[in-house]
Amino acid sequence: MGAIAAEVLVSRLADWGVRTVFGLPGDGINGIMEGLRRNADRIRFVLVHHEEAAAFMATAHAKATGEIGVCLATSGPGGIHLANGLYDAKMDHQPVLAITGMQETSVLGTGYQQEVQLDRFFADVAVYNEMIVNPAQLPSLVDIAIRTAYGRRGVAHLTVPNDIQVAEAGQQPYELVAPANPPVTAPIYLAPAVRPREAELRAAARLLNEGQKVGILVGIGARGAGRLVEQLADTLDAPVIKTLSGKMVLADDSPYTTGGIGLLGTKPSEELIEEIDTLVMLGTNFPYTKHLPTPGKVKTVQVEIEPTRAGVRMPTDVPLIGDVAATLEALLPMLRRRPERRLLPSYQAKMAGWRTNMAALESADRDPIAPQYLAALIDDLATDDAVLTCDSGTVATWAARHWTIRGDREFYLSGNLATMAPALPYAIAIQHAYPDRQVIAYPGDGAFAMLMAEFHTACRYRLPIKVVINNNSSLGQILWEQMVLGYPEYGVRFEGSKPDYAGWARGCGGFGAYVDRPGNLRGTLREALAYDGPALVDVVVDANEPPMPGKIKYEQAKHFAEAFLRGQPHRASIATTLFKDKIQQLRER
C-alpha cells in the first residue's frame, strides 16, 4: 500500500513533536484517520464525543505544556463545532492547530452536502488559514502553520479535501516544483527572550523611581517570573494585583499580593487601584477597564510581548516590548530600593482582614451547603501540585477567592472568552499530558451539562480526573447579573426534574456520588480524590448565595435593591443568605 498525502500530514505533525490529536471522526476526514492509523506508534488519537471539547482539549494542552495543541474535525458541522474552543485559544493567545475535512475538490462550489467553506469560516479566528489543494503542498504548509501558531501565539487552520487526503503522497499534478522539506527535530520552535531597548528601560526606570504610590498588575504573561515580580514589588514598596488568568504567577499567601481584580477580586485590590499614582502592568491585557485606574490619573509602564496590545487598555507612558522575565532582569538594576515600607504594610493588613472575612464564609455549619465551603474543601484536600480547572460563572468567583495557589499548583480557565463548558475537557487534556498529577475540574451544573458526555471519554481512557459539580440548579452568574441591572431574575433556574449526574458517572464506569448535606461533604470528597480512576461528586449548594463584588459600589447596591422592589421571586431566601453571611463575618472579628 503506497503512502497517501494524509499520512505525510500526520507524519509531519509527529516530526514537530505532536504526540496527541483530539478529535471526532467523520466521512470528511476518513483519509486523515487512515493517516493517523498508519502513524499510531507516533501520535495518539483521543476520541471525544463533541468537537467543541476537542478544541478545548487542544487549548488546554497548549496552556499547560507550552506545546502546540492539535484538534481534528470533519467537514461542515464538525468544523463549525470547533469554533468556540478555537476562540478560547485565540483570545488567550495559545498555539493551536485545527485540521478539518473538506468535500472533494471536483464538487466545491456546487452546494454539495455539508459543503462549508471552513477556510472562510475560520478567517477571523485563525492567524494562519489555508486549504490544501495539492498533495505536494504537504508538508510545507504544516510547517508554516505550526511556526505561525507558535510565533503569533494563535490558531492555525488547515482544511484538506477528501480527494487530497487519499491522493498519492507527493503527487504533483502541476508543473511547479514543491519546496524541499528537510527533516524536523523537535522541539523546533523556541520563543526568543525579548528584551526592550535600553532607552525605553531607562525611561521606565525614571518613571518608576519618581512614583510615590506604585501598584503592580500581573497577568498570565508573567508566568514563570514570580520571583522577579516579588523583587520588583519589594524594591518599589508596591503591592501586586493578580488577574484571574494570572492567579498562579504568585502564591496566594505571598506577602506582596492583594489577590484578584474586578468583580471576582478583592476589596484591597479595588482600594489599591483607587490610591496609586503609578501602575506597572506585567504580561496582562486585562479587558475590564472600569476596574483599572481612571485614564490620566496614573502614570503607566506596561510590559507586553505583542506590540499591538501595548496601550490598548490604559494610556501607557512607557511601553516596554518584551517578555516579562527578560524585561525585569534588565529593569531591576536601574531601580532605587525604597527604604520606607508604607504601601505594602498597609495592604498586608487589609489582606489579613479580607482573608478573615472570606474564611468566615467557608462555614461547615451552613445548610444548604455554602459554595464557599465547597471551594475551600477542594482547596484544602487538593495536593500542592494539583492542576485545578474551573468554568465561567459563579464557580470562577469561588475559585478566585477560596482556592490558594501554593507549591506547584496550576490553575486554568477560559480567560478572555469566558465561555462555559471548558473545565471538564481542560481537565481531560491536562490529565492526558500529566498522568501522574492530580487534576480537578470544578464546573457549575449548567456548564457540566453542556459537555457531560466527555466524562465518558475520561472513563474510556482511564484518566483519573476528579470532577466536583457546584450544583445550584441555575445559571447562577446570569441570575445575579440580572439583579445588578435592577431586574428580577428570569429564565435562569432549572426547575422540575433534576439530572442524576452521579448516576451518569457510575454508568460511564467511574465513581459517582451525590451530596446535599454539609456533614457528608468532606468524607465524600476524600473518597473521590482517593479513587483510582475518574470520579465525580455532584454537590447541591445554596442557590441563593450571591457572588458579591469585593467592594460594592453605590449603583450596584441601588440596582440590587430595585430588583427586590420589582418582584425578585426569591428575595426572602436571598435576604436570609446575605444575613447569614454578615453574621458569620461578624463572629470572626
Side-chain angles (χ1 to χ4, degrees):
M1 189 186 305
I4 59 175
E7 189 176 356
V8 176
L9 183 156
V10 174
S11 178
R12 196 59 163 187
L13 294 178
D15 290 341
W16 275 91
V18 173
R19 296 292 173 260
T20 306
V21 172
F22 304 97
L24 187 66
D27 59 3
I29 52 172
N30 281 333
I32 297 174
M33 293 302 297
E34 174 62 12
L36 284 164
R37 188 190 69 82
R38 297 187 190 184
N39 285 274
D41 60 330
R42 302 184 69 193
I43 291 183
R44 186 180 190 187
F45 176 71
V46 174
L47 173 62
V48 304
H49 286 279
H50 195 291
E51 291 93 351
E52 181 180 4
F56 280 138
M57 290 176 192
T59 301
H61 179 89
K63 287 183 176 183
T65 68
E67 302 168 357
I68 194 164
V70 181
C71 54
L72 173 66
T74 191
S75 54
I80 292 170
H81 283 163
L82 292 176
N84 198 40
L86 296 182
Y87 270 97
D88 187 33
K90 171 186 174 169
M91 296 185 73
D92 283 353
H93 314 294
Q94 298 301 317
V96 166
L97 172 62
I99 301 171
T100 62
M102 179 68 72
Q103 277 64 29
E104 294 183 4
T105 55
S106 61
V107 300
L108 290 179
T110 68
Y112 200 77
Q113 182 187 32
Q114 293 189 340
E115 183 185 348
V116 176
Q117 300 298 318
L118 291 174
D119 50 335
R120 300 178 190 174
F121 180 77
F122 288 143
D124 178 63
V125 76
V127 294
Y128 184 81
N129 183 22
E130 291 292 339
M131 181 165 65
I132 307 294
V133 295
N134 184 329
Q137 291 175 286
L138 296 167
S140 291
L141 265 60
V142 175
D143 291 353
I144 297 169
I146 292 178
R147 287 196 185 102
T148 306
Y150 274 128
R152 296 183 63 185
R153 304 291 300 176
V155 175
H157 170 237
L158 294 175
T159 189
V160 190
N162 285 346
D163 53 327
I164 302 296
Q165 295 173 32
V166 298
E168 178 184 339
Q171 182 180 351
Q172 176 55 280
Y174 309 111
E175 295 182 358
L176 294 176
V177 178
N181 294 291
V184 176
T185 302
I188 190 67
Y189 186 86
L190 296 174
V194 180
R195 172 182 153 160
R197 291 176 292 197
E198 190 75 11
E200 288 150 356
L201 286 166
R202 295 198 177 281
R206 283 194 301 271
L207 188 150
L208 296 177
N209 285 331
E210 292 170 359
Q212 299 300 306
K213 294 182 177 180
V214 181
I216 302 169
L217 176 63
V218 298
I220 191 60
R223 183 182 182 184
R227 178 183 58 83
L228 293 166
V229 172
E230 289 192 329
Q231 287 182 27
L232 180 68
D234 187 66
T235 300
L236 297 176
D237 183 38
V240 181
I241 301 170
K242 301 188 294 182
T243 68
L244 187 53
S245 294
K247 184 174 174 66
M248 60 183 161
V249 172
L250 293 184
D252 279 303
D253 62 358
S254 168
Y256 299 101
T257 186
T258 60
I261 186 175
L263 290 174
L264 284 61
T266 70
K267 184 177 180 180
S269 290
E270 290 288 314
E271 292 176 346
L272 180 64
I273 287 293
E274 294 169 358
E275 184 173 355
I276 57 176
D277 60 33
T278 306
L279 177 66
V280 187
M281 300 175 69
L282 301 176
T284 179
N285 194 31
F286 183 74
Y288 305 105
T289 52
K290 67 180 180 181
H291 295 286
L292 294 175
T294 304
K297 179 179 178 290
V298 300
K299 298 289 186 181
T300 304
V301 171
Q302 183 176 4
V303 180
E304 174 57 65
I305 192 68
E306 170 54 58
T308 60
R309 291 198 295 265
V312 168
R313 306 302 181 197
M314 285 280 297
T316 303
D317 297 272
V318 183
L320 297 176
I321 307 306
D323 65 81
V324 173
T327 300
L328 290 184
E329 284 174 351
L331 180 63
L332 279 165
M334 302 179 182
L335 300 175
R336 293 193 302 269
R337 188 178 191 280
R338 304 184 182 204
E340 72 284 358
R341 306 280 93 178
R342 294 178 181 171
L343 214 55
L344 274 172
S346 169
Y347 280 89
Q348 287 163 353
K350 291 182 179 185
M351 277 304 293
W354 171 262
R355 292 186 179 106
T356 297
N357 280 339
M358 292 300 101
L361 301 177
E362 299 167 359
S363 172
D365 299 328
R366 297 274 288 275
D367 192 355
I369 296 169
Q372 298 95 325
Y373 176 56
L374 172 59
L377 274 184
I378 297 171
D379 180 70
D380 181 48
L381 296 174
T383 62
D384 283 356
D385 69 342
V387 183
L388 307 170
T389 74
C390 87
D391 251 298
S392 301
T394 56
V395 289
T397 299
W398 314 135
R401 294 177 177 174
H402 301 275
W403 282 0
T404 55
I405 295 299
R406 60 177 185 264
D408 295 321
R409 278 192 183 176
E410 296 178 27
F411 170 75
Y412 299 98
L413 81 168
S414 174
N416 286 310
L417 186 61
T419 181
M420 292 175 68
L424 175 58
Y426 270 26
I428 291 171
I430 293 168
Q431 189 76 83
H432 182 83
Y434 299 113
D436 297 327
R437 293 183 70 173
Q438 184 185 72
V439 181
I440 303 174
Y442 179 48
D445 58 295
F448 178 76
M450 288 181 168
L451 292 174
M452 60 186 286
E454 301 309 335
F455 189 82
H456 181 240
T457 301
C459 291
R460 284 189 294 107
Y461 289 99
R462 296 301 295 170
L463 296 170
I465 64 167
K466 314 304 173 190
V467 180
V468 183
I469 302 176
N470 185 90
N471 192 338
N472 55 17
S473 294
S474 67
L475 300 172
Q477 190 70 31
I478 308 305
L479 186 161
W480 301 109
E481 287 174 347
Q482 288 178 352
M483 290 185 66
V484 168
L485 286 173
Y487 306 136
E489 65 173 73
Y490 181 74
V492 290
R493 298 201 190 228
F494 297 110
E495 297 174 327
S497 63
K498 304 298 181 187
D500 184 3
Y501 296 129
W504 163 249
R506 292 191 296 271
C508 291
F511 175 97
Y514 173 85
V515 180
D516 62 356
R517 291 290 181 269
N520 301 332
L521 186 53
R522 180 180 287 271
T524 305
L525 287 177
R526 282 188 183 277
E527 188 179 359
L529 292 173
Y531 182 74
D532 184 23
L536 180 149
V537 182
D538 182 12
V539 184
V540 177
V541 299
D542 189 349
N544 297 306
E545 181 70 53
M548 302 299 284
K551 185 175 181 179
I552 300 173
K553 294 180 169 56
Y554 170 76
E555 286 298 318
Q556 292 169 327
K558 175 186 172 186
H559 290 157
F560 198 79
E562 287 172 349
F564 269 50
L565 294 172
R566 288 172 177 168
Q568 167 60 26
H570 296 270
R571 56 185 177 274
S573 299
I574 293 169
T576 299
T577 300
L578 289 170
F579 178 73
K580 289 178 180 178
D581 285 350
K582 185 52 65 177
I583 289 296
Q584 286 188 294
Q585 289 178 334
L586 290 172
R587 282 176 179 170
E588 292 293 324
R589 292 186 181 277

